[in-house]
Amino acid sequence: MRVLLTGHQGYLGTVMAPVLAAAGHEVVGLDAGLFADCVLGPQPADPPGQRVDLRDVTAEHVAGVDAVIHLAALSNDPLGSLAPDLTYDINHHASVRLARLARDAGVRRFLYASTCSVYGAAGGDDLVAEEAPLRPVTPYAESKVRVEDDLHALADGDFSPVFMRNATAFGYSPRLRADIVLNNLVGHALLSGEVLVLSDGTPWRPLVHAADIARAFTAALTAPREAVHDRAFNIGSEINNVTVAEIAEQVAEAVSGSKVVITGENGADPRSYRVDFSRFRAAVPGFECAWTVKQGALELADAYREHGLTREDFEQRFTRLAVLRAASDAGAVDDTLRWRR
């Protein structure tokens, strides 16, 4: 299958591309390249691809493609809150436009990287399944809800959107992100000896390893149409439904000599949810997530040590908001996050 992978030079895309290739798919990439240089360790071997802003995609980019895996987005809550208009422009409008172009070009399956943060203010200890009310509390999560609604309206007998609601990602990727919870806490533990938690530690977080996300998308790509057509799936494992404080404790166990420090300075976080992941296992028999939070913490600690993670890199090169601010300050991108020619 010829697969267009948007965001192939991002944190998840860099992990997913070789998994797709190993499954026998021909992968072509599309990425604006904003984070292409955020590499920890050896330079990854990217699939053939084009450096294109998602807002500039044309019919030519989806011609001859059997399926689209759409990862590209402004990728986290702080960034979305800083520039909500850009978040909706890129994450919502450009994503729906890509889907329309794909449908018109005869693409039959469109896997969309949504997020469990659409449940944002679910609260409580009950497991949240896909039919639960959506309560996004950030522009990032709201943009994902809007895309799901618009892609649902595009679904027909020939075009199958699939909504992959990923739990919060963790784990090593050659294009690292340090601004997601487990990756961040492990970095703090190694660099300072403290597992620093700024909230009160009580919110629930569902976590999933980047490699398990890659395997889930690969499985959904070839699953029977009737099993996945126009359906939402939570992607992760119930064993990785943990509180932020529990994540911190597991990091402290993985990084010898570190201690948990819960400051509570940011107060209670309204984003709290435990998630039910059984629907995807039922739709794709045999799929199970392989990674636990503890295993991920150990993997990250080893990778950070092996590749010589520094505090400057941790706080700047591997933090999405800092990367974009630096590019803007240097005049490399304009105020709409487009490269200056």
Side-chain angles (χ1 to χ4, degrees):
M1 188 179 293
R2 183 176 171 85
V3 180
L4 175 65
L5 177 64
T6 74
H8 74 288
Q9 292 181 315
Y11 171 70
L12 291 179
T14 301
V15 174
M16 193 175 297
V19 174
L20 291 167
H25 301 292
E26 178 189 356
V27 183
V28 291
L30 187 148
D31 200 296
L34 291 170
F35 308 109
D37 295 332
C38 300
V39 175
L40 181 69
Q43 186 71 25
D46 293 327
Q50 298 184 65
R51 180 159 289 191
V52 179
D53 191 294
L54 186 62
R55 292 164 289 186
D56 298 330
V57 170
T58 68
E60 179 182 351
H61 296 115
V62 292
V65 168
D66 300 303
V68 171
I69 294 179
H70 180 37
L71 306 179
L74 292 182
S75 57
N76 64 350
D77 292 328
L79 183 57
S81 298
L82 176 74
D85 290 343
L86 282 179
T87 296
Y88 294 124
D89 189 25
I90 296 170
N91 291 9
H92 177 207
H93 300 299
S95 294
V96 175
R97 182 170 170 274
L98 170 67
R100 287 197 184 99
L101 288 169
R103 183 191 63 174
D104 293 346
V107 172
R108 300 190 65 82
R109 191 161 297 186
F110 190 98
L111 304 188
Y112 175 59
S114 189
T115 172
C116 283
S117 65
V118 297
Y119 305 119
D125 292 338
D126 293 336
L127 292 179
V128 177
E130 289 83 353
E131 64 272 14
L134 305 185
R135 298 187 176 96
V137 296
T138 65
Y140 171 73
E142 175 64 29
S143 73
K144 296 292 187 177
V145 173
R146 293 184 185 187
V147 174
E148 287 195 21
D149 288 343
D150 289 347
L151 294 190
H152 170 69
L154 293 177
D156 60 26
D158 298 313
F159 182 70
S160 295
V162 186
F163 316 112
M164 306 287 277
R165 294 178 181 167
N166 301 318
T168 298
F170 68 85
Y172 173 70
S173 165
R175 288 192 175 93
L176 184 70
R177 283 186 61 189
D179 53 4
I180 40 184
V181 61
L182 184 63
N183 298 11
N184 183 268
L185 293 180
V186 173
H188 272 293
L190 276 171
L191 294 169
S192 71
E194 294 184 343
V195 187
L196 186 62
V197 178
L198 300 182
S199 74
D200 63 6
T202 61
W204 286 100
R205 285 288 183 277
L207 302 188
V208 63
H209 196 286
D212 285 329
I213 293 175
R215 291 174 49 247
F217 274 72
T218 303
L221 200 60
T222 55
R225 180 180 184 275
E226 61 273 14
V228 297
H229 173 74
D230 196 25
R231 298 185 74 192
F233 296 100
N234 297 328
I235 304 301
S237 172
E238 286 82 2
I239 196 173
N240 291 333
N241 279 319
V242 285
T243 67
V244 174
E246 288 171 340
I247 298 169
E249 292 292 345
Q250 296 201 39
V251 171
E253 291 178 16
V255 181
S256 179
S258 64
K259 63 178 181 178
V260 176
V261 177
I262 298 179
T263 70
E265 62 191 74
N266 289 348
D269 191 330
R271 299 168 300 167
S272 182
Y273 40 89
R274 297 176 68 234
V275 178
D276 181 343
F277 298 101
S278 60
R279 177 187 284 186
F280 190 71
R281 293 194 298 269
V284 185
F287 178 83
E288 293 284 349
C289 286
W291 286 82
T292 65
V293 172
K294 180 65 174 293
Q295 290 169 333
L298 290 167
E299 176 206 33
L300 285 162
D302 288 344
Y304 289 174
R305 293 189 188 101
E306 178 184 354
H307 301 305
L309 180 71
T310 66
R311 180 172 293 279
E312 181 179 4
D313 279 345
F314 178 69
E315 295 177 350
Q316 298 296 320
R317 196 153 60 95
F318 302 127
T319 297
R320 292 297 189 247
L321 189 53
V323 170
L324 293 180
R325 280 177 168 159
S328 178
D329 291 345
V333 299
D334 63 21
D335 58 4
T336 69
L337 299 183
R338 291 183 182 274
W339 292 110
R340 294 187 187 276
R341 303 298 181 187

